[in-house]
Amino acid sequence: MPINRRNFIAQTIAIGSLVAVGPVFSQEPESTAARIKRTGKLRLGAINGASPYFTKDLATGEWRGFMVDLGRDLAKYLKAEVEWVETTWGNAVLDVQTNKIDCQLGMAPSPARREVVDFSGPIFQNYNTVVARKGFNFERWEQLNTPSVKVAVDVGSSHDQLVTRILPKATILRFETSAAATMALQSGRVDCQVLVILLSTALLTKLPNIGHIVYPSPDETNPTNVGIRKQTDQTFIQSVNAWLDQARASGKVKSTILSNMQALVGVPPTAFPPQVHF
């Protein structure tokens, strides 16, 4: 067909339209499953100073903790080698979302996080407790729900989400870190600190004079999961869930948690009451 002015303009418009819509049909980034298969590497986020979940030996550079051991077990299941990528609880969601890491073990699936990343099934259900100052006794959560009670939490955490939901009348003091909230309890600025049981038992082992642990009724638990990048290919999340089913059924999750609690923070298995299950 001869190229006249009219045909030239039509072809130019058509080409321009293809360029304009091209990005809309751009190919999705390589899936996590495909990348792991291609490289033989599983990139896992690790948070220093988060014992017994994660901790790094500064002398050797070796990572330890029950999420570290479970991460290695996941890599073995996937026939891959672990590549640890240091991150923080605050940055881990973005690191998953932007494909800096393949997944983050130990991530709580809050509604806000579910908007930007996917989650596996629960690794275990974390049990919420209260570390109370000496002489401060109670049995139920509702007894804390009064302005006269000062409760410390680390801002933005699952602890913060819990007290915001169930203690709307309490005086909530929010601190940048869990350690800062603990210092407020030590100094007498607050009556208690809300912590999951793995952290509260570790704290009382380290600082036995800070107070005592209360297990308020009714039980309040929240899941601890694996955060995974949203993607069309569901192969990776299906593999993680299959591994989790196997690890829970075999007792691997429970034994890994309990052994690390004793080895890293000196908490024996007998420290956990009967109602707590991993």
Side-chain angles (χ1 to χ4, degrees), residues 3-222:
I3 300 178
N4 55 33
R5 176 181 174 82
R6 184 176 180 179
N7 289 334
F8 176 78
I9 293 173
Q11 290 176 21
T12 302
I13 292 172
I15 293 170
S17 299
L18 287 174
V19 172
V21 302
V24 176
F25 298 102
S26 60
Q27 192 174 16
E28 184 175 326
E30 182 181 31
S31 72
T32 301
R35 196 207 63 78
I36 293 171
K37 184 176 181 180
R38 176 175 58 83
T39 64
K41 303 281 189 180
L42 173 65
R43 301 170 303 172
L44 298 178
I47 294 96
N48 194 19
S51 185
Y53 294 77
F54 301 92
T55 188
K56 188 177 185 179
D57 187 315
L58 297 180
T60 65
E62 180 185 3
W63 287 97
R64 298 179 65 195
F66 65 79
M67 288 300 175
V68 174
D69 288 346
L70 290 174
R72 292 192 179 112
D73 194 65
L74 172 59
K76 182 179 179 181
Y77 179 87
L78 297 172
K79 296 180 173 58
E81 180 182 341
V82 174
E83 182 178 303
W84 297 107
V85 179
E86 189 161 347
T87 184
T88 65
W89 290 123
N91 291 335
V93 171
L94 183 61
D95 288 346
V96 170
Q97 188 182 9
T98 58
N99 201 25
K100 184 177 178 181
I101 57 179
D102 295 317
C103 62
Q104 179 62 57
L105 278 76
M107 187 179 284
S110 68
R113 287 172 174 172
R114 285 191 183 276
E115 290 291 322
V116 292
V117 299
D118 282 338
F119 285 91
S120 70
I123 301 173
F124 64 93
Q125 291 289 336
N126 224 338
Y127 194 98
N128 286 288
T129 66
V130 179
V131 179
R133 60 173 170 76
K134 290 183 177 180
F136 184 48
N137 302 301
F138 55 94
E139 295 180 351
R140 301 184 61 83
W141 287 102
E142 62 190 33
Q143 293 174 265
L144 302 179
N145 195 26
T146 174
S148 63
V149 176
K150 296 179 180 179
V151 182
V153 293
D154 42 326
V155 66
S157 65
S158 61
H159 312 125
D160 189 356
Q161 294 169 30
L162 174 67
V163 299
T164 299
R165 176 171 59 85
I166 69 172
L167 304 178
K169 297 178 182 179
T171 301
I172 310 299
L173 279 72
R174 294 175 170 86
F175 296 88
E176 193 65 30
T177 65
S178 179
T182 298
M183 289 181 65
L185 178 60
Q186 279 184 291
S187 65
R189 291 176 57 195
V190 298
D191 298 302
C192 59
Q193 179 182 2
V194 174
L195 286 171
V196 293
I197 192 169
L198 297 178
L199 298 179
S200 63
T201 51
L203 175 61
L204 263 292
T205 299
K206 181 180 178 182
L207 300 171
N209 294 323
I210 197 171
H212 61 286
I213 298 178
V214 181
Y215 303 89
S217 298
D219 293 348
E220 285 287 347
T221 62
N222 51 272

Side-chain angles (χ1 to χ4, degrees), residues 52 65-67 69-70 73 122-125 198 243-263 267-278:
F66 65 79
M67 288 300 175
D69 288 346
L70 290 174
D73 194 65
I123 301 173
F124 64 93
Q125 291 289 336
L198 297 178
W243 163 74
L244 272 173
D245 289 343
Q246 180 177 298
R248 286 193 299 262
S250 67
K252 179 76 173 181
V253 170
K254 180 179 180 179
S255 64
T256 300
I257 291 173
L258 295 180
S259 62
N260 276 276
M261 288 296 293
Q262 185 151 29
V267 177
T270 53
F272 301 102
Q275 67 264 39
V276 177
H277 305 283
F278 298 115

